[in-house]
Amino acid sequence: MKIEAAVLRHRGASRPYVDSRPLVIETLDLDPPGKGEVLVRIAAAGLCHSDLSVISGDRDRPVPMALGHEAAGVVEVLGRDVDDLAVGDHVVMVFMPSCGHCLPCAEGRPALCEPGAAANGAGTLLGGGRRLHDGETTVHHHLGCSAFASHAVVSRRSLVKVDRDLPLEDAALFGCAVLTGVGAVVNTAKVQAGQTVAVVGLGGVGLAAVLGAIAAGAAQVIAVDLSPDKLALARDLGATATVLAGAEAAAEVRALTDGGCDVVLEMAGAIRALESAVAMTRRGGTTVTAGLPPPDATLPINVVALVAEERTLKGSYIGTCVPTRDIPRYVALYRAGRLPVDRLVSGYLTLDRINEGFDALHAGTAVRQIVRFPQ
């Protein structure tokens, strides 16, 4: 079938993207789903820094590639051996498919699936296939999803079914921002009621982490960012204090918490932010990073402090999630009013405005923008 998709052919375009137009809306050929795959009609897809890092060249991915990985849609065609979904089901896409058989999957850590990571790096679906073509040219998949498109063929293991009465524009957020941000709080950091928490970097993932810390019962939730507007939004969402990022931010957080936070989550994807997050963490506390800086970035660590102060520094990928477990839980919290993730949406776009949207994301003037597709 013919579909419309946002295709990246060259990485590292100059900004503003509204002029250089790194993403071009093209008509592609989409093969029918193969064994264990599903054709999904995309309803909504969010713009994320993970997409931006591919456009900028910070994240090395093969091109041409159809971008987009945070999305929700409706099942249209089932491939062979897919018997646990039905046509018309509503689904959320998960950008790390899990094979269910490798050692991490067997240990209950599907976010670290080895075949899934290999497929994502190669630009294929979990089974190794590519279903997108431009004439004789094969187009790569982005994180197994390629969701900036009218339709996508994905592995069944990239999908989680959700209730049909959940608005798909809200459901899209659960596939990345919510899984990563809330998951980092409850799965990776295991925040307990009464603890003190700081979140450094208030993009979609960071603000989802703020909401997750509030829902987990943290006594103090301190939001840290360079943007006064994002700090104001964090206060509206329930953060107990906000701190403007900069040279004095760590000292200010330590003063607010009598020596530092029990848990500090770094979501900015910058080494300076991570250094600041470590400095905000109390003796015996835990620093969690879910930000993705350029691959060659390194962090100097004071090993004596790591040992003598029993500090913990942990990475968190997709919120250490089990998607089939966590997405229904987070949706339930959303329905109960305890996780108002819809308030993270800065605005809605049509697909032809996607370069404009990434300019806003890079400038920090938007949290989560959602591309709506005609239904």
Side-chain angles (χ1 to χ4, degrees):
M1 65 183 295
K2 299 288 186 181
I3 67 166
E4 297 296 310
V7 180
L8 178 73
R9 293 192 175 273
H10 304 282
R11 295 180 286 116
S14 60
R15 288 184 290 268
Y17 295 141
V18 72
D19 294 330
S20 62
R21 304 190 66 79
L23 291 175
V24 179
I25 310 309
E26 300 184 15
T27 300
L28 300 179
D29 294 305
L30 179 64
D31 295 339
K35 179 181 178 181
E37 297 172 356
V38 180
L39 172 66
V40 177
R41 173 170 49 84
I42 305 298
L47 276 63
C48 175
H49 274 91
S50 294
D51 306 304
L52 187 59
S53 67
V54 178
I55 296 170
S56 69
D58 286 344
R59 193 68 49 205
D60 187 17
R61 299 293 183 195
V63 291
M65 174 173 278
L67 288 194
H69 68 282
E70 179 186 80
V74 181
V75 172
E76 287 206 337
V77 179
L78 301 173
R80 184 161 53 93
D81 293 346
V82 179
D83 56 10
D84 57 347
L85 289 175
V87 172
D89 280 347
H90 288 193
V91 289
V92 170
M93 291 187 173
V94 177
F95 64 88
M96 174 56 81
S98 53
C99 71
H101 304 294
C102 68
L103 181 59
C105 286
E107 292 177 335
R109 305 178 74 185
L112 301 182
C113 176
E114 292 166 347
N120 282 358
T124 71
L125 301 183
L126 181 61
R130 296 178 180 89
R131 307 294 177 227
L132 292 165
H133 309 278
D134 177 20
E136 298 299 317
T137 302
T138 298
V139 176
H140 297 87
H141 297 269
H142 184 216
L143 301 178
C145 298
S146 291
F148 294 145
S150 57
H151 294 77
V153 166
V154 301
S155 168
R156 168 64 185 91
R157 293 184 175 273
S158 295
L159 299 173
V160 174
K161 181 180 174 181
V162 294
D163 292 339
R164 296 191 187 189
D165 62 346
L166 178 67
L168 287 167
E169 294 168 353
D170 297 340
L173 297 168
F174 288 86
C176 178
V178 178
L179 268 187
T180 303
V182 179
V185 172
V186 300
N187 294 330
T188 313
K190 300 186 185 303
V191 169
Q192 299 177 22
Q195 287 189 309
T196 55
V197 176
V199 179
V200 181
L202 302 179
V205 172
L207 285 167
V210 168
L211 292 174
I214 295 167
Q220 288 179 269
V221 180
I222 303 170
V224 183
D225 199 271
L226 291 165
S227 167
D229 290 340
K230 290 180 178 177
L231 294 174
L233 177 56
R235 287 192 296 270
D236 289 344
L237 292 173
T240 57
T242 56
V243 172
L244 189 66
E248 302 303 317
E252 189 171 345
V253 170
R254 289 197 300 269
L256 287 168
T257 54
D258 192 25
C261 290
D262 297 305
V263 173
V264 182
L265 302 115
E266 183 274 316
M267 305 299 192
I271 293 302
R272 285 187 179 180
L274 182 52
E275 289 174 341
S276 183
V278 171
M280 294 173 186
T281 308
R282 70 168 180 83
R283 293 167 59 91
T286 298
T287 310
V288 172
T289 176
L292 288 172
D296 59 352
T298 59
L299 176 72
I301 291 290
N302 185 318
V303 179
V304 171
L306 187 69
V307 175
E309 298 178 7
E310 290 197 349
R311 293 176 173 271
T312 300
L313 175 61
K314 302 181 72 172
S316 178
Y317 192 56
I318 326 179
T320 318
C321 72
V322 179
T324 53
R325 175 197 69 192
D326 292 341
I327 287 179
R329 289 179 177 179
Y330 301 159
V331 169
L333 288 171
Y334 168 67
R335 290 184 181 278
R338 297 176 58 193
L339 205 63
V341 297
D342 55 317
R343 296 187 60 191
L344 306 184
V345 177
S346 302
Y348 297 94
L349 304 171
T350 51
L351 189 60
D352 60 341
R353 293 179 55 204
I354 196 164
N355 289 300
E356 174 187 340
F358 278 112
D359 278 331
L361 186 63
H362 176 264
T365 57
V367 177
R368 261 314 189 262
Q369 301 164 92
I370 303 294
V371 176
R372 285 169 164 163
F373 293 87
Q375 299 300 297

